[in-house]
Amino acid sequence: MTGALRNPRTWIALICLLPLMRLIGLALTDGLGANPIEFITRSTGTWTLVSLLVTLAITPLRRLSGNAGLVRYRRMLGLFAFFYACLHGLTYFWLDQFFDVAAIARDILKRPFVTVGFAALVLLVPLALTSSRAMMRRLGRNWQRLHRLVYAIALLGVVHYLWLVKKDVTEPLVYGGVLAVLLALRLPWVVAGIERARRGSIPGRAGTHLPGRAE
Amino acid sequence: MLIRTPDDIPPSEITPPDVYRERRRFMQSLGGLALGAALGAPAAGAQSLPGVRRGAMTLDEAQTPYRDVTTYNNFYEFGTGKADPARYAGSLKTRPWTVAIEGAVKKPGVFDIDTLLKLAPLEERVYRMRCVEGWSMVIPWVGYPLNALIRQVEPTGNARYVEFHTLHDPAQMPGQRARVLDWPYVEGLRLDEAMHPLTLLAVGLYGEVLPRQNGAPVRLVVPWKYGFKSAKSIVRIRFVEKQPITAWMAAAPREYGFYSNVNPNVDHPRWSQARERRIGEFRKRDTLMFNGYGEQVASLYRGMDLKTYF
């Protein structure tokens, strides 16, 4: 038990479950407001986007901090993004549309924001299915190629949000801005710059005790 | 025009005002402001409106609980979140308040709100309210037909449209500090729409003075149009010759037209309008043409292509 508590994975998993716990708590205390289905849809959508962006932050953080171990938590964070995406989809299919297949199909075909949201959810499935270590080994170099889909998925997620708001696009643009920064940090020359800066500041001791280093 | 009398509806379908008032008194006697709020009765301290003719217009559909009507609002002057108006509308000062009547009328002038309140007998009317976003409520408004005011100011032959302006004061309306819309909020009706007996100048709901988040002290209620057509916290009514550009038309002309009649056959460009979720209900229900008021208002639009004039 103490072993589990000392494992950061346990804590990360518990933190990732907080949004769900909060929803359950609010549901049990009549706290979801006048339109509970809308509340649940919004909330699960928000946390899908947040966990996607947190997952995408791991690699840049690893490069900036030189802490290679961070990558150990990426899979779990990605799976939580998938988990919230599934809850979001289920809320729509079940609570919002009541499994009305014709209405859902019409929505997907006719409503661009539903189209891109649905596409993002579908594209997440192969990533979740190939997230195990065994699949990683089996796919070899193709694994990374496949998992680059996550960039497109995050972009679709932001567009999905942008296209559904009635007028005030501030929040979707904030997510879009964060995503842009996370993607920019992956550009080859930015990566090279980060590497140079790290090596240059402390010669010979890459990645240790950088000033202002994020851990 | 059909105005249902209370006899038309099965008694089991409605909560008689006496019963909910009794319920409310009971709640208040418990001294439970929080408890009362939690159960959906008007909060203690809400001011009741005297001399209201009850049941002037009823509806055989369950009324949306007071709590939902007053905590789930679109009133961008206080923020774009549904809970923002209830949270931030406290800064709105509803007294003193005046409404200026301008433009093509023989008797322009400035009405004090307390004069306006006594201009015609107040009556209670239960209307459906359909939001353009796809949800709806049933609300017992208190007010009188707008045509009572219009007759008094005598529009001239040049008056073909009526413009409604909401207060513009970022100090009182913090949402106006963000340029979400081009303030002040402007709405408009054709004169015959404004004169229609269903068009209500509302000053209350659930027998109480209109809460700030619902558009105090005076607002419009046009039940066959999407909710945003019913301008809130009105300070100016202007009679004009040309069709006004409303706030939502200016913000997104492709998505919001001047008429904005509730119409299940004309979708919003980004979402369907065929169905709606009645607040408090689980499954969606079909949206009715003209929000169920077709019998009374369809004739206003005879010969018009409602897909063009959306």
Side-chain angles (χ1 to χ4, degrees):
Chain A
M1 190 60 205
T2 39
L5 282 180
R6 243 181 261 136
N7 189 344
R9 275 205 187 88
T10 312
W11 291 102
I12 295 173
L14 286 174
I15 290 168
C16 287
L17 282 171
L18 283 179
L20 177 64
M21 295 303 163
R22 171 174 167 264
L23 270 184
I24 294 172
L26 287 173
L28 293 176
T29 54
D30 192 23
L32 293 175
N35 196 344
I37 297 173
E38 179 191 65
F39 191 103
I40 296 169
T41 312
R42 285 292 169 105
S43 175
T44 51
T46 299
W47 291 108
T48 305
L49 262 181
V50 170
S51 34
L52 262 177
L53 294 179
V54 171
T55 311
L56 282 172
I58 293 292
T59 297
L61 272 182
R62 192 192 51 162
R63 288 201 185 110
L64 286 166
S65 67
N67 184 350
L70 283 177
V71 77
R72 272 175 300 177
Y73 310 117
R74 194 174 59 180
R75 181 210 326 265
M76 188 167 70
L77 290 166
L79 284 172
F80 267 109
F82 180 62
F83 173 67
Y84 281 107
C86 288
L87 288 182
H88 185 61
L90 188 68
T91 311
Y92 166 73
F93 295 129
W94 180 22
L95 300 183
D96 195 69
Q97 300 291 329
F98 234 85
F99 297 119
D100 181 341
V101 179
I104 293 169
R106 238 180 295 127
D107 249 7
I108 292 173
L109 293 174
K110 265 183 85 176
R111 315 287 160 206
F113 86 90
V114 186
T115 316
V116 294
F118 185 72
L121 177 61
V122 169
L123 290 176
L124 270 172
V125 174
L127 303 202
L129 290 178
T130 58
S131 63
S132 68
R133 223 173 279 268
M135 284 308 277
M136 234 168 152
R137 263 193 305 266
R138 238 169 85 185
L139 290 172
R141 292 193 58 193
N142 287 330
W143 187 88
Q144 200 179 14
R145 280 193 201 134
L146 176 66
H147 279 252
R148 287 210 174 108
L149 264 180
V150 73
Y151 306 140
I153 292 167
L155 200 64
L156 289 172
V158 170
V159 171
H160 170 64
Y161 190 11
L162 193 69
W163 281 352
L164 81 88
V165 294
K166 198 161 88 182
K167 189 63 180 60
D168 190 3
V169 291
T170 318
E171 262 188 61
L173 289 182
V174 168
Y175 285 101
V178 172
L179 177 63
V181 169
L182 292 176
L183 293 182
L185 285 170
R186 289 171 158 80
L187 294 170
W189 56 272
V190 177
V191 172
I194 293 170
E195 290 296 310
R196 253 199 318 278
R198 261 194 31 234
R199 292 220 182 84
S201 61
I202 300 144
R205 294 190 59 198
T208 46
H209 303 293
L210 269 177
R213 143 182 179 188
E215 269 191 304
Chain B
M1 200 200 111
L2 179 127
I3 293 187
R4 287 206 180 99
T5 61
D7 310 1
D8 290 342
I9 47 168
S12 58
E13 296 283 340
I14 50 162
T15 310
D18 294 344
V19 172
Y20 72 66
R21 301 202 133 255
E22 193 45 55
R23 237 184 251 156
R24 189 183 319 149
R25 264 193 290 279
F26 172 69
M27 294 315 305
Q28 284 168 351
S29 71
L30 288 177
L33 176 78
L35 192 58
L39 293 176
Q47 239 182 311
S48 121
L49 282 164
V52 177
R53 186 160 69 92
R54 298 268 157 194
M57 203 166 157
T58 56
L59 198 64
D60 54 352
E61 290 169 31
Q63 290 174 17
T64 307
Y66 182 87
R67 183 178 72 160
D68 292 343
V69 174
T70 55
T71 57
Y72 189 78
N73 306 98
N74 277 327
F75 197 173
Y76 283 13
E77 279 78 348
F78 298 105
T80 53
K82 294 280 186 296
D84 288 344
R87 213 175 280 152
Y88 303 118
S91 51
L92 177 69
K93 289 194 286 286
T94 58
R95 290 292 188 289
W97 189 279
T98 56
V99 179
I101 311 285
E102 303 173 351
V105 287
K106 285 186 194 132
K107 296 179 179 168
V110 177
F111 284 81
D112 185 81
I113 184 67
D114 293 307
T115 315
L116 211 55
L117 272 162
K118 291 180 202 112
L119 193 116
L122 296 180
E123 50 187 76
E124 180 172 76
R125 294 186 174 198
V126 185
Y127 282 162
R128 293 180 205 96
M129 207 283 295
R130 167 66 154 80
C131 177
V132 73
E133 295 166 352
W135 52 269
S136 63
M137 293 183 177
V138 173
I139 304 172
W141 300 105
V142 175
Y144 54 79
L146 175 67
N147 61 32
L149 172 63
I150 295 179
R151 286 209 177 89
Q152 189 131 133
V153 299
E154 297 179 35
T156 68
N158 290 333
R160 295 185 52 220
Y161 294 91
V162 192
E163 250 179 49
F164 304 87
H165 294 225
T166 296
L167 175 71
H168 182 200
D169 181 0
Q172 294 186 59
M173 297 180 143
Q176 288 176 334
R177 284 169 213 161
R179 297 208 24 104
V180 186
L181 292 169
D182 197 4
W183 313 112
Y185 193 87
V186 175
E187 254 312 334
L189 295 172
R190 226 167 51 190
L191 185 62
D192 58 345
E193 296 176 324
M195 288 295 290
H196 193 280
L198 280 179
T199 304
L200 196 71
L201 201 63
V203 296
L205 57 82
Y206 268 101
E208 314 281 355
V209 169
L210 200 59
R212 289 176 171 82
Q213 60 268 36
N214 295 88
V218 60
R219 66 169 291 168
L220 199 62
V221 180
V222 193
W224 71 93
K225 291 174 180 283
Y226 292 117
F228 66 87
K229 289 296 292 180
S230 298
K232 305 186 186 83
S233 304
I234 295 169
V235 292
R236 178 170 297 116
I237 300 176
R238 184 182 286 160
F239 293 77
V240 294
E241 192 168 2
K242 290 210 172 67
Q243 182 177 293
I245 307 270
T246 68
W248 279 105
M249 287 165 76
R254 219 173 58 82
E255 303 191 345
Y256 305 99
F258 176 77
Y259 286 94
S260 293
N261 292 316
V262 175
N263 188 339
N265 310 313
V266 177
D267 287 340
H268 185 280
R270 289 185 286 149
W271 56 81
S272 166
Q273 295 293 26
R275 290 188 298 161
E276 67 197 51
R277 172 161 295 111
R278 178 67 51 86
I279 295 303
E281 289 179 358
F282 190 54
R283 302 199 52 171
K284 289 186 174 175
R285 50 166 73 210
D286 288 337
T287 289
L288 305 172
M289 188 65 207
F290 295 117
N291 205 21
Y293 298 98
E295 228 176 295
Q296 294 98 318
V297 303
S299 58
L300 293 172
Y301 311 102
R302 198 166 287 142
M304 281 173 71
D305 179 1
L306 296 177
K307 280 198 165 65
T308 310
Y309 297 98
F310 60 96

